[in-house]
Amino acid sequence: MLQLSKKVEYGLIALRHMAMKPMGQVFTAKELAKEYDMPYDLLAKVLQKLARHGIVASLQGVRGGYALAKKPTEVTVSLIIRVIEEERPMVAECYTDGPASCYLFGNCTIRKPLGKLQRNLNVLFDTMTVQEIV
Amino acid sequence: MLQLSKKVEYGLIALRHMAMKPMGQVFTAKELAKEYDMPYDLLAKVLQKLARHGIVASLQGVRGGYALAKKPTEVTVSLIIRVIEEERPMVAECYTDGPASCYLFGNCTIRKPLGKLQRNLNVLFDTMTVQEIV
DNA sequence: TAATATAGGACTGTTAAAGTCTGATTTATG
DNA sequence: CATAAATCAGACTTTAACAGTCCTATATTA
Ligand code: SF4
Ligand code: SF4
């Protein structure tokens, strides 16, 4: 419960790796997967998403790969999760998918109080950056 | 991602309901389920767990039911989750189930940094009580 | 043009969450 | 004392999200 998904963990590990080396250095999905023993296909998908959203820059073709495109201080855990999961980390389903997603919505008495928890969570994830995990 | 489980939500809704009424009042699982349109069987299980851990007191037999056994200020969301899920809310699998639970453990570079996130999370859940959701 | 890399999507497998069902036990009450 | 109403306990099924795999297309270097 409340665990980060494997995809997010793979993304964090890869981004941290890049952040440790000189800015602009290029890494292939293959070498990253091998280095940390992550499933290549899955990591590749994650890196592609990060590339689409400009967190890393991708270079295709032979000698291609990925390089960090933002400063480690600018990439928050919140952003990484949003990009990889394609949604914000929320404590309740209805926060993400709206009233129709939960049949309890009409008589739910905890939705509003949980908002406080959510806001505090947001602060946590918005505050933590890749810089903090190098 | 990061959502509270339905069981926890059911538990919170039920506990809040009890906390709204005079201390010691007895409610049956049936009426609670009906009032908020929650699945009876599932809610019953949740209440049983809460009873086993002394959060609510149970009365068997006809005219039985459940009553809040602790003050709303004493019941944290953290405790509710631990009781219902039978584990603490953790950001990483290995925190809950140990090194053997994750094959990345040996070369995981994000485990320690995530500890900071975890500690902040703990504070959030330890701080919020049933009193705050009435 | 061959080799190597990303890009994208479809597909399958696995697991945890959610829900259901059955039966036993307890206890107030007529 | 019999009945009904409630908790208690566990097994079971269903569902949906997550994790992982596979295949093909495209881009780029050498
Ligand atoms: S139970 Fe309440 S808070 Fe949870 S998803 Fe449904 S409406 Fe939202
Ligand atoms: S990836 Fe790292 S932090 Fe996540 S569960 Fe595995 S060892 Fe723990």
Side-chain angles (χ1 to χ4, degrees):
Chain A
M1 177 161 212
L2 290 179
Q3 278 172 22
L4 301 180
S5 70
K6 278 283 178 246
K7 282 193 288 191
V8 168
E9 292 194 317
Y10 297 154
L12 285 171
I13 288 173
L15 288 172
R16 177 192 169 277
H17 183 86
M18 296 185 191
M20 297 279 290
K21 309 275 173 142
M23 187 75 179
Q25 186 170 338
V26 174
F27 307 85
T28 67
K30 194 175 176 181
E31 66 182 298
L32 288 169
K34 189 167 186 183
E35 173 89 10
Y36 297 100
D37 197 27
M38 301 183 278
Y40 167 77
D41 290 295
L42 204 40
L43 176 62
K45 290 261 168 298
V46 167
L47 288 167
Q48 283 164 29
K49 277 190 183 169
L50 293 174
R52 260 181 260 146
H53 288 82
I55 295 172
V56 298
S58 74
L59 295 166
Q60 293 198 348
V62 176
R63 317 227 35 192
Y66 299 92
L68 210 50
K70 288 179 185 284
K71 287 187 230 160
T73 53
E74 292 174 336
V75 184
T76 65
V77 172
S78 174
L79 176 62
I80 296 169
I81 294 175
R82 280 192 326 263
V83 164
I84 296 179
E85 300 292 342
E86 298 179 353
E87 65 182 35
R88 290 169 174 272
M90 298 285 193
V91 296
E93 190 179 14
C94 62
Y95 286 9
T96 308
D97 303 324
S101 64
C102 179
Y103 62 98
L104 290 181
F105 195 92
N107 20 359
C108 178
T109 53
I110 59 169
R111 190 172 64 250
K112 285 190 178 179
L114 288 181
K116 186 186 165 193
L117 201 55
Q118 182 66 55
R119 282 190 295 279
N120 287 329
L121 257 186
N122 291 346
V123 171
L124 282 192
F125 287 113
D126 287 342
T127 304
M128 189 169 198
T129 68
V130 170
Q131 181 62 51
E132 295 181 55
I133 66 176
V134 295
Chain B
M1 178 166 212
L2 289 179
Q3 278 173 22
L4 300 180
S5 70
K6 276 286 177 244
K7 282 192 289 190
V8 167
E9 291 193 318
Y10 297 153
L12 286 171
I13 288 172
L15 288 171
R16 176 192 170 277
H17 183 86
M18 296 186 191
M20 296 280 289
K21 309 275 174 144
M23 187 75 181
Q25 187 170 339
V26 174
F27 307 86
T28 67
K30 196 175 176 182
E31 64 181 301
L32 288 169
K34 190 167 187 185
E35 173 90 10
Y36 297 101
D37 197 26
M38 301 183 279
Y40 166 77
D41 289 295
L42 204 40
L43 176 62
K45 290 265 168 297
V46 167
L47 288 168
Q48 283 164 29
K49 276 189 183 170
L50 293 174
R52 260 180 258 146
H53 289 81
I55 295 171
V56 298
S58 75
L59 294 168
Q60 293 200 346
V62 176
R63 319 226 36 190
Y66 300 92
L68 210 50
K70 288 179 185 284
K71 287 187 228 159
T73 53
E74 291 174 336
V75 184
T76 65
V77 172
S78 174
L79 176 63
I80 296 169
I81 294 176
R82 284 199 314 269
V83 164
I84 296 178
E85 300 292 343
E86 299 179 353
E87 66 182 33
R88 290 169 175 272
M90 298 283 195
V91 295
E93 189 178 14
C94 63
Y95 286 9
T96 308
D97 303 325
S101 63
C102 179
Y103 63 98
L104 290 181
F105 194 92
N107 20 357
C108 177
T109 52
I110 59 169
R111 190 172 62 251
K112 284 191 179 180
L114 288 181
K116 186 186 165 193
L117 201 55
Q118 182 66 56
R119 281 190 296 280
N120 287 329
L121 258 186
N122 291 347
V123 171
L124 282 192
F125 288 113
D126 287 342
T127 303
M128 189 170 200
T129 68
V130 169
Q131 181 62 51
E132 294 183 56
I133 67 177
V134 295

